[in-house]
Amino acid sequence: KVGVVSGNGVNDQAAMNVLNTLKQHGIFIDIISEKLDTVTGANGTKIKVNMTFITSSPYLFDSIYVVGGETDYQEKFVQNVSEFVYTAYKHYKPIGVASTGQSYIETSKNNNLAGVVFAENNPNFGKDFVTAIAQQRFWNRT
């Protein structure tokens, strides 16, 4: 099961392509945002939110897909997404990162980001993310 953390204004075509790829591979998804409603992409695509940060937990998901975006309460949104990323990372879970979600992943020479799959400049992102999800844990992550 993948928790998809998203706000408004993201690249909806890219996000929908990834969501469709996940569904085609039999992966269950929950869309998580600050409130039960819809999130709207940059091109107007609406995606139904079925969980909030209050009604879900990063511990409930095998993986997360960080889409990012904007919300009415951006500072709280950033805190919540960062908590999901931190928890998934420290538990060695796969993390997919949309181009609009890159700011939530800290890179340094001290972490190897094993199991973190970035969409930026990656035409095979959906497939690579599904492969990471199938592996389940990345024990060599630092």
Side-chain angles (χ1 to χ4, degrees):
K1 190 177 208 183
V2 175
V4 180
V5 289
S6 182
N8 297 306
V10 298
N11 181 335
D12 38 8
Q13 181 180 356
M16 290 306 295
N17 286 342
V18 172
L19 296 180
N20 288 333
T21 298
L22 294 174
K23 289 177 186 177
Q24 287 170 359
H25 286 86
I27 298 169
F28 296 102
I29 59 171
D30 281 314
I31 309 298
I32 306 159
S33 197
E34 68 180 9
K35 58 186 174 181
L36 292 175
D37 196 1
T38 58
V39 289
T40 306
N43 294 323
T45 302
K46 293 191 179 299
I47 302 171
K48 186 177 184 329
V49 174
N50 59 327
M51 296 187 102
T52 68
F53 292 109
I54 294 171
T55 62
S56 67
S57 166
Y59 297 102
L60 300 175
F61 300 99
D62 302 308
S63 175
I64 61 169
Y65 174 39
V66 184
V67 182
E70 304 283 326
T71 66
D72 293 338
Y73 305 101
Q74 190 64 22
E75 187 175 318
K76 184 67 175 160
F77 179 76
V78 168
Q79 284 179 330
N80 287 323
V81 175
S82 296
E83 178 186 335
F84 266 69
V85 169
Y86 175 76
T87 301
Y89 195 86
K90 77 176 184 177
H91 288 273
Y92 307 99
K93 296 179 180 186
I95 301 171
V97 185
S99 57
T100 50
Q102 288 189 160
S103 63
Y104 296 99
I105 304 295
E106 277 189 47
T107 58
S108 76
K109 38 186 179 167
N110 296 330
N111 61 14
N112 63 12
L113 299 176
V116 179
V117 183
F118 292 91
E120 190 76 23
N121 300 318
N122 183 355
N124 297 316
F125 172 71
K127 185 178 178 183
D128 292 348
F129 186 35
V130 168
T131 300
I133 293 168
Q135 185 171 329
Q136 298 179 347
R137 292 288 192 272
F138 290 84
W139 301 114
N140 61 338
R141 179 180 288 167
T142 57

